[in-house]
Amino acid sequence: MTYEQARTELEQYGQEHLLRFYGELSEAQQEALLAQIDATDFSILRYVKDPHQGLSFGKITPLGAMELPEIEARREEFTQAGLEAIRAGKVAAVLLAGGMGTRLGSSDPKCMYDIGITHPVYIMQRLIENLTEVTDLAGVPVPLFIMTSEKNNDKTVQFMKEHECFGYPADRIRYFIQEMAPAADPDGRVYLEARDRICTSPNGNGGWFQSMKKAGLLDVLHAEGIEWLNIFAVDNVLQRICDPCFVGATIQSGCAAGAKVVRKAFREEKVGAICLEDGRPSVVEYYDMTPELLAANNEKGEPAYNFGVIMNYLFRESELERIVDEILPVHVVEKKIDHIDQNGDPVHPEAPCGVKFEQLVVDMVRELSTCLPFEVVREKEFAPIKNPTGVDSVESARALCLKNGIVL
Ligand code: UTP
């Protein structure tokens, strides 16, 4: 792309300021900036003005979960079915670790964060320990795919090398890199990250299967006979991964997917609740709950929308291939964005100062034909680390780890 072409392209989107420092750059830097402009989809900026994209809800109705008493009664049967699938090599794990973790505030990838008290206990270490419990029981390692972004891939891979993958067989781990999107101020003017680089950010966790496809990994899934993918977030340090009971229950249900869910602590709790939307699985966000939905009861007299998702899903691989090209909505999310100002000086904001554009896994759930909500005990399986202190923090996750007998 030439300078003139870049200018024309940027003018179309009101982004000419991105060439503000062009005249001061070296030839190589100029080329790099033009290449980045060429590769960036600026049309996404239209969502700043139209965050809802004309989307409207379908009819929301309850979707019952498989609850703890039934799971306990059938635990042995489900676990054996799950172990059988794992031993047959049909189940893989996918760690979604491409996020920037801006709320936590560390400049390293979140998986490198040390939550230890008396000795180092890294977030990644906790996840691998949890996965290893299952693979020890099964007697075989499961393939582990790790999604990173161009911002954190090198550090993540290096960190795993340095720690010898925390004992997990390195030849069973594969990395793939997700897509990026521009990051902008609240008016949709894209920030510069440096004089020769526009600000970009990972495009959310919803495009993970697309990114696997782009990375050529579907061939690997087919070659290895992988039929189920268990995706999970990096930040839940009590996460059960490829939990055989969950795997077995989902397979036996005949559903296209399973979603781990926790019972809401109270009706108004701020979690996305699993439901049906026009008869298909969906998640209704807490801010979209109408007073009627909040007050609705099921036949047992309990809240009808009582189970929140925790970003741990088991997807049937063939179902993912069916929906992989569906266009997911783009969410405009307020975040802290490091950038340079008009004078070229770096700005490290303390509070959200702009917007990023993300596709989300919950929107993928809306494309599924069927999904089994599978209840788990919150205190045993849900300790997300989003913030340094307070709710969903290093502090709260540490307390839950200690409660579960994990030495920190
Ligand atoms: P979060 O929604 O907590 O986002 O991600 P984040 O970017 O990591 O953190 P904040 O909001 O900036 O503080 C939930 C999960 O989805 C992954 C994260 O790594 C985490 O496991 N994720 C998020 C991606 O893999 N890619 C993304 O683009 C965003």
Side-chain angles (χ1 to χ4, degrees), residues 19-26 29-30 195 343:
L19 290 168
R20 183 185 294 133
F21 299 106
Y22 189 82
E24 320 170 0
L25 303 179
S26 70
Q29 287 173 317
Q30 289 180 339
R195 288 168 189 243
N343 305 318

Side-chain angles (χ1 to χ4, degrees), residues 126-329:
R126 281 270 57 253
L127 299 176
I128 298 283
E129 282 169 1
N130 291 345
L131 177 58
T132 305
E133 272 182 32
V134 172
T135 56
D136 282 352
L137 186 66
V140 294
V142 302
L144 170 61
F145 297 91
I146 301 180
M147 181 168 86
T148 59
S149 78
E150 63 178 45
K151 300 259 182 195
N152 69 10
N153 182 68
D154 294 354
K155 277 191 176 177
T156 303
V157 173
Q158 184 59 29
F159 176 71
M160 286 293 268
K161 258 197 201 135
E162 273 165 24
H163 292 274
E164 295 176 345
C165 303
F166 298 100
Y168 207 73
D171 61 346
R172 303 310 286 140
I173 304 180
R174 288 188 186 79
Y175 301 86
F176 63 102
I177 298 179
Q178 70 170 103
E179 268 54 63
M180 304 294 281
D185 74 10
D187 297 322
R189 280 165 59 87
V190 174
Y191 281 123
L192 276 172
E193 186 174 278
R195 288 168 189 243
D196 61 342
R197 257 197 89 69
I198 62 176
C199 228
T200 58
S201 175
N203 70 343
N205 52 31
W208 66 274
F209 195 66
Q210 265 282 356
S211 301
M212 275 189 101
K213 187 176 172 183
K214 281 197 184 140
L217 289 171
L218 298 203
D219 291 343
V220 174
L221 300 181
H222 298 156
E224 297 196 5
I226 293 166
E227 293 179 10
W228 294 93
L229 294 173
N230 182 196
I231 64 153
F232 59 101
V234 73
D235 46 40
N236 175 6
V237 287
L238 285 182
Q239 186 101 246
R240 310 309 303 165
I241 304 155
C242 296
D243 168 3
C245 184
F246 174 48
V247 171
T250 304
I251 294 176
Q252 291 205 357
S253 73
C255 287
K260 285 205 166 183
V261 294
V262 292
R263 191 174 288 265
K264 278 195 196 171
F266 49 96
R267 262 183 215 263
E268 293 79 13
E269 194 188 1
K270 292 183 173 177
V271 294
I274 197 131
C275 63
L276 290 175
E277 187 176 339
D278 289 338
R280 295 163 73 94
S282 185
V283 174
V284 53
E285 295 297 347
Y286 69 89
Y287 42 78
D288 290 323
M289 282 288 250
T290 59
E292 292 73 34
L293 292 177
L294 267 182
N297 283 340
N298 62 17
E299 64 288 352
K300 289 189 265 179
E302 294 167 350
Y305 302 92
N306 210 16
F307 291 98
V309 286
I310 60 168
M311 253 287 267
N312 188 316
Y313 298 95
L314 183 72
F315 291 105
R316 189 191 290 275
E317 200 273 340
S318 57
E319 179 83 351
L320 290 169
E321 289 200 38
R322 185 182 70 77
I323 66 176
V324 64
D325 294 322
E326 296 295 334
I327 312 267
L328 299 181

Side-chain angles (χ1 to χ4, degrees), residues 326-368:
E326 296 295 334
I327 312 267
L328 299 181
V330 173
H331 296 256
V332 181
V333 194
E334 288 182 10
K335 299 251 180 170
K336 287 188 258 183
I337 301 169
D338 285 344
H339 60 277
I340 58 167
D341 64 17
Q342 292 188 352
N343 305 318
D345 295 324
V347 180
H348 302 287
E350 293 290 316
C353 65
V355 292
K356 295 182 175 180
F357 301 89
E358 298 194 343
Q359 292 184 320
L360 303 179
V361 165
V362 286
D363 291 314
M364 201 172 181
V365 173
R366 297 194 171 94
E367 303 297 333
L368 297 170

